[in-house]
Amino acid sequence: MPISPMDIYKLLPKTNCKKCGEMTCMSFAFKLLNKEKKLEDCKPLFEEKKYEKQKEKLIEILKPLEKAKETGLIVNEDLCNGCGNCVVACPVHVERDPHGAMIGKISSDDAILRIENGKVRVLNLEICRRYGKNRILCIVCRENCPTDAISFLEG
Amino acid sequence: MICTGCSCLCDDVEIRDGKILNACYRGYKVYSKLSENRARALVDRREVSVDDAIEKAVEILGQAKNPALYGFDTTTVEAQEVAVKIAEKLNAFIDDNSSFCLGEVVEAILKKDVPSTTLEDVRDQAYVIFYWGANPYSSAPRHMSKFTYYPRGMKRLKGYEDRFLVVVDVRRSETAKLAKKNAIFIKVESDDELVESFNLALEGKAGKYAKEVGTVITELKRSDFNAMFVGLGLKYGVRNLDGFFEMIRKINRVAKLYLIPSAFHSNMRGFNEVLFEKTGSINKFSFKEQRSDKLFAFTELLKRDEIDAVLLLGTDPLSSIPFEISKKIMRIKTVVVDPKMSLTAKIAKVVVPSAFSGFESSGTMVRSDGVRKRLEPIEEKEVNDLWILKKISEGL
Ligand code: SF4
Ligand code: SF4
Ligand code: SF4
Ligand code: SF4
C-alpha cells in the first residue's frame, strides 16, 4: 500500500508549531515522504506523552519507507514468483546489458533487480531512473508485474 | 544449468555463491527440495539393494499378462527411447500425461496440420503474441520474459513495445492483467463462441465477439510473423480441437500465425516425439494391437481393469489422478522409478530410486516448441532413469 502525505499528516500533532523547521505539519509530512526530513525532527511528537500512540503508529507506517531507500521502490517477495518480467522490461537493464536483459536473461551484478532463489532482489537501486536529483517517475517494472509485487511509495 | 522445472527448459540458470540466479520460483523450488523425501530401493516395502529391486521389477513385468508403462514426461529422450523399446518387447501399453494435457496440440504440429515455429524466432520476429487458455505466469513463469512478449529481438528492437498482446481466458488471469497498452484481453464465456466468431469474421460475417476478433485480425495482418500459445484452458474449453485447428488454418490464409503449445512437464513433448517417430502416434499406444486409442489411456486401462502390472516413471498417479481411479493401482503390481518417495511409491510393489534429470543426470530434452536441449547437470549420478531402464530392458 502506498503511503500518502495525508496518512502521515493525520498522525502528526497538527499544531503547526514549526519546531521541525517547516511552516506546517502538512509540509513536514511531504518532506518526510521525500526523505528530506526525519520523524525525529518533529520534537513535540517525541517529547510529549500524549502523542505516544501516534508516534508508535507513525513509526509503523513509515517502516516500508526505510526499506524503499531513495527510489520509493518496494518489493513484496511473497507475491513474486520470479517471472522476470520486471527485470527484462526495465529500460536501465536494457541500456546497460544489451546481451542479457535484451533477450530475457540477466545475472549481471550491476543490475537494479535480479532473480535470486526464485524471487526478485534489489541489487543496485542507485542506477534506477527514480533515483537521485534528475529522477524520472519510471513505473515500467511495476506496470509489468502481474501480481503487484512491486510498488512505489508515491503510489 | 538447464532448469527442468517446466517445458521452457531455461538455459541461463546459474549457481553462484550458493544462490540460484535467474530461475523462477517454480524452478528454484525443485532445486532447493532435491534432497528431501528421496526414494529408497524397496520390494514389498522392505529395503533392498538397487540391483535386487531391478531384478524384481524385471520379474513382475516379464510375468505380467497385460503390462503398461506410464509417465516419462520428466525424463530424458534417451530414457524415453528405452521405455518405448521395453513396451515393444512386452507388447505392452504405453502412455504419458499428454493424453490429458496438450498432446493433441503437439500431435497436430508433428503431423504438420498447423504451422509452428521456434521460440527464438518468436523472440526475434513475432508481432502479435497470443495466449489462448494459457496462463504462463503459473505454468511457465518465464515464458513471457524470456521468449515471447518482453525480450527484444532482431525485428522487435523495443521488445514488448514493438508487440501486440492478445489474451483469451475465462477469467482475468495474471497474464490477462498484463494486457494494457497495445493489447487486448478477451474474456470469454465459451471458447467455442470465440472460434466461431473468428470463422465468421473471416467470411465477412459478425459473430458474438465481432469487435474483439476484428481488432485481433487487423493486428495479425500488420505482420508476417505472429505466434499463438495455447494452454489447457483451450483444451477443456472447446468441444473439439479439430475445429480450432481448422480456424488456425483459416486465419493463416489471411495472416501468418504460428501455433506453439504453452507449457507442460519438462519433456512431455520429447515423449510424444519419440513415440511418434516409432509408431506414428504420440500417446495411449498398444504394442499388442499396434494402434493408439482413447481406451488405451492409462486412466481408461485402470478404470476397466485391463492391466495387471505397470511401470511408472516420474509420475505419481495417486496424487495426480482422481482417487476413484488411481486407487485401482493398489490392486495391480506396481513398479515405481522415481527420485522421490512419492505417494504411489509408498504403496508400490517395487521402488527403484533414481536421479533428477537435468540436475543430477544428463541427456536431451525437447522444449515446448520442439527445440532439443542438452542438459547440463550439476552432478552426474550413475543410477539414473536411463541406466535403470536399460537394466530392466536387458533383464527382459
Ligand atoms: S514539529 Fe511536529 S507539530 Fe510542529 S509543525 Fe512540525 S510536524 Fe507539526
Ligand atoms: S523504476 Fe524503472 S528504472 Fe527503476 S527498476 Fe523499475 S523499471 Fe527499472
Ligand atoms: S514482475 Fe513481479 S512477479 Fe515477476 S519477477 Fe518481477 S516482481 Fe516478481
Ligand atoms: S520457466 Fe520453467 S524452465 Fe524456466 S526457470 Fe521457471 S520452471 Fe525453470
Side-chain angles (χ1 to χ4, degrees):
Chain A
M1 270 301 283
I3 313 167
S4 76
M6 204 54 196
D7 299 331
I8 298 179
Y9 173 74
K10 276 192 252 161
L11 293 165
L12 287 169
K14 294 191 284 252
T15 56
N16 300 335
C17 75
K18 305 195 178 70
K19 284 187 186 149
C20 57
E22 290 304 307
M23 294 302 282
T24 61
C25 296
M26 193 63 192
S27 76
F28 179 72
F30 269 105
K31 297 248 161 127
L32 208 55
L33 254 188
N34 280 336
K35 299 208 145 192
E36 291 166 38
K37 288 271 174 199
K38 289 202 186 83
L39 191 59
E40 292 75 29
D41 295 337
C42 172
K43 296 266 157 37
L45 195 63
F46 285 82
E47 282 160 10
E48 292 175 41
K49 256 219 130 62
K50 59 179 172 189
Y51 299 130
E52 185 69 25
K53 273 224 169 92
Q54 285 160 255
K55 184 189 78 188
E56 302 282 301
K57 262 218 122 150
L58 270 168
I59 292 176
E60 187 59 38
I61 66 166
L62 288 172
K63 258 196 197 139
L65 199 65
E66 282 164 33
K67 263 211 282 188
K69 308 227 187 68
E70 301 273 336
T71 52
L73 186 151
I74 311 171
V75 173
N76 183 342
E77 279 190 18
D78 292 343
L79 294 177
C80 171
N81 85 339
C83 70
N85 294 354
C86 55
V87 179
V88 176
C90 171
V92 174
H93 288 171
V94 175
E95 236 169 69
R96 293 192 153 221
D97 183 18
H99 300 289
M102 277 273 278
I103 53 163
K105 94 179 207 183
I106 182 158
S107 49
S108 143
D109 288 331
D110 39 56
I112 305 171
L113 306 165
R114 166 162 85 183
I115 309 299
E116 290 183 10
N117 290 348
K119 302 270 179 182
V120 72
R121 289 284 140 80
V122 178
L123 289 184
N124 303 291
L125 266 186
E126 63 285 358
I127 53 173
C128 168
R129 293 186 162 188
R130 301 173 68 90
Y131 189 90
K133 277 223 148 54
N134 301 320
R135 60 185 177 170
I136 43 173
L137 285 185
C138 176
I139 51 165
V140 170
C141 50
R142 187 190 69 189
E143 280 255 293
N144 290 294
C145 175
T147 53
D148 301 321
I150 294 181
S151 55
F152 299 120
L153 278 176
E154 300 86 344
Chain B
M1 190 178 67
I2 298 210
C3 175
T4 52
C6 76
S7 55
C8 282
L9 300 177
C10 292
D11 55 6
D12 57 355
V13 176
E14 281 177 48
I15 302 177
R16 232 192 270 165
D17 309 326
K19 275 183 278 191
I20 314 242
L21 303 185
N22 299 336
C24 70
Y25 194 60
R26 182 191 174 112
Y28 167 74
K29 264 195 316 205
V30 179
Y31 175 81
S32 64
K33 294 192 173 148
L34 270 187
S35 58
E36 284 172 27
N37 191 31
R38 296 299 293 240
R40 283 157 291 131
L42 301 174
V43 170
D44 291 324
R45 269 159 263 180
R46 268 180 307 112
E47 228 161 292
V48 296
S49 70
V50 171
D51 287 336
D52 287 349
I54 290 178
E55 200 176 303
K56 188 74 191 168
V58 170
E59 185 191 311
I60 288 174
L61 293 169
Q63 287 175 358
K65 284 202 192 69
N66 278 311
L69 289 83
Y70 181 66
F72 311 101
D73 287 339
T74 54
T75 190
T76 60
V77 166
E78 292 79 3
Q80 289 165 340
E81 281 166 355
V82 181
V84 171
K85 233 182 253 159
I86 295 176
E88 191 182 17
K89 259 190 201 170
L90 292 171
N91 266 329
F93 301 99
I94 186 164
D95 190 22
D96 77 329
N97 287 298
S98 66
S99 39
F100 48 96
C101 188
L102 292 170
E104 291 94 333
V105 179
V106 175
E107 186 172 16
I109 291 168
L110 292 180
K111 290 187 170 159
K112 302 206 169 15
D113 286 343
V114 286
S116 192
T117 184
T118 66
L119 291 171
E120 277 78 12
D121 281 343
V122 169
R123 182 178 66 204
D124 275 341
Q125 304 188 50
Y127 172 62
V128 173
I129 301 289
F130 194 151
Y131 285 97
W132 190 324
N135 183 21
Y137 181 79
S138 69
S139 55
R142 292 182 68 199
H143 204 258
M144 292 181 90
S145 73
K146 190 163 163 54
F147 299 111
T148 64
Y149 186 54
Y150 289 104
R152 289 89 194 152
M154 242 140 46
K155 288 197 186 161
R156 301 290 152 208
L157 289 175
K158 284 159 82 190
Y160 67 104
E161 290 165 294
D162 272 343
R163 307 189 199 261
F164 189 89
L165 178 65
V166 182
V167 181
V168 171
D169 213 320
V170 289
R171 63 179 188 104
R172 211 171 123 79
S173 64
E174 284 90 354
T175 305
K177 283 188 199 139
L178 296 173
K180 293 176 181 168
K181 252 182 282 164
N182 292 334
I184 182 171
F185 167 45
I186 308 174
K187 188 165 181 292
V188 287
E189 270 145 40
S190 129
D191 295 82
D192 280 323
E193 284 174 341
L194 186 58
V195 172
E196 191 187 286
S197 293
F198 268 106
N199 285 334
L200 286 171
L202 293 166
E203 292 163 19
K205 292 179 215 152
K208 178 172 172 182
Y209 297 100
K211 195 164 146 265
E212 293 88 340
V213 163
T215 306
V216 175
I217 293 179
T218 309
E219 294 298 333
L220 288 171
K221 283 182 178 166
R222 291 177 56 177
S223 168
D224 59 359
F225 201 111
N226 306 290
M228 184 195 276
F229 305 90
V230 294
L232 285 178
L234 170 78
K235 163 147 173 174
Y236 292 109
V238 291
R239 245 172 297 126
N240 88 62
L241 274 167
D242 289 333
F244 176 81
F245 296 141
E246 181 57 36
M247 176 204 81
I248 297 285
R249 288 191 289 270
K250 273 192 202 155
I251 292 178
N252 269 286
R253 281 179 220 142
V254 300
K256 196 76 211 169
L257 178 62
Y258 298 97
L259 189 71
I260 300 181
S262 64
F264 26 71
H265 287 309
S266 52
N267 199 23
M268 186 192 97
R269 179 151 178 171
F271 178 87
N272 295 149
E273 292 196 357
V274 167
L275 195 63
F276 185 76
E277 217 170 275
K278 177 95 190 168
T279 68
S281 304
I282 58 149
N283 55 24
K284 30 186 187 356
F285 192 79
S286 161
F287 273 98
K288 195 185 270 169
E289 305 209 14
Q290 287 297 320
R291 64 188 177 93
S292 165
D293 194 299
K294 271 210 291 286
L295 293 176
F296 304 155
F298 180 59
T299 45
E300 288 301 318
L301 296 173
L302 278 182
K303 260 192 232 166
R304 290 179 294 109
D305 299 307
E306 288 245 351
I307 46 178
D308 56 351
V310 64
L311 170 65
L312 299 168
L313 186 144
T315 187
D316 186 14
L318 272 190
S319 62
S320 60
I321 302 179
F323 188 66
E324 269 314 291
I325 305 168
S326 66
K327 68 176 182 204
K328 294 204 168 190
I329 285 183
M330 298 184 209
R331 282 200 244 139
I332 60 177
K333 291 188 172 156
T334 305
V335 176
V336 168
V337 179
D338 207 295
K340 295 256 180 188
M341 204 64 211
S342 65
L343 221 53
T344 314
K346 288 198 176 120
I347 58 102
K349 195 108 184 105
V350 177
V351 180
V352 189
S354 188
F356 271 99
S357 304
F359 299 101
E360 298 170 339
S361 81
S362 55
T364 312
M365 286 201 185
V366 183
R367 204 169 61 186
S368 57
D369 59 346
V371 168
R372 294 193 170 216
K373 295 294 236 180
R374 290 288 312 165
L375 301 175
E376 304 153 359
I378 333 165
E379 58 173 317
E380 190 73 60
K381 287 204 169 155
E382 193 204 352
V383 179
N384 56 37
D385 293 343
L386 179 62
W387 186 87
I388 295 165
L389 289 176
K390 270 189 178 160
K391 283 254 172 186
I392 293 178
S393 181
E394 283 160 17
L396 285 167

